[in-house]
Amino acid sequence: MPKRITRLTPEQEARFDEWADRWIAVGLATAPADRPRFEEAARACYRYAGLPEPKVIVWCPSPLVVATAGPIAAHMLGGGAVDEAVREAVGGAVGGAVGGAVDEAVREAVRGAVDEAVREAVRGAVGGAVRGAVGGAVRGAV
């Protein structure tokens, strides 16, 4: 079992920027993944943690697909408590995002329609009244 690190040695501190730059480059990399190497490393992590290795490793084209596919897979595989937790988490996140977007879209659509309807009604009523009053005043003056 590796020893827990609580402090860096002066030598480790001296190499900190080098390692930070290396891992920043890894995080920003967009080259194709070495899938066999990753899959073996993932299985080794499971073995080290004393967990059963995954039977299948599913590759997805983007983090967005992973975020969507994971909950769907958990639901379809019937995860019991996992299913409920996923349903609550996804339902809350999606409900909040969609609800907010729908509320805003409806609010703007209704506001626009009501503003236009009121504007036209006022324009028609006031315009008709003004035309009638001006027309009557002109006819009475003649």
Side-chain angles (χ1 to χ4, degrees):
M1 186 80 161
K3 187 173 109 178
R4 182 177 179 158
I5 297 174
T6 58
R7 286 192 196 137
L8 296 178
T9 66
E11 295 79 22
Q12 290 170 324
E13 286 182 5
R15 295 188 64 197
F16 191 81
D17 288 340
E18 169 193 342
W19 283 99
D21 290 343
R22 177 177 178 188
W23 286 106
I24 289 169
V26 168
L28 297 174
T30 58
D34 182 344
R35 291 180 179 198
R37 183 175 175 199
F38 170 82
E39 290 177 10
E40 180 49 41
R43 287 186 172 91
C45 288
Y46 275 79
R47 286 191 302 271
Y48 182 80
L51 299 171
E53 294 180 25
K55 293 181 179 110
V56 176
I57 295 175
V58 178
W59 287 88
C60 295
S62 73
L64 178 61
V65 173
V66 171
T68 305
I72 291 170
H75 174 73
M76 293 179 75
L77 295 173
V82 172
D83 188 37
E84 183 62 28
V86 169
R87 184 181 303 108
E88 288 178 17
V90 172
V94 171
V98 171
V102 169
D103 286 350
E104 185 62 26
V106 169
R107 186 177 300 110
E108 290 303 315
V110 169
R111 181 179 296 134
V114 169
D115 285 352
E116 184 63 27
V118 169
R119 188 177 300 112
E120 290 302 314
V122 169
R123 184 177 293 134
V126 172
V130 169
R131 279 190 297 279
V134 170
V138 170
R139 282 189 296 277
V142 177

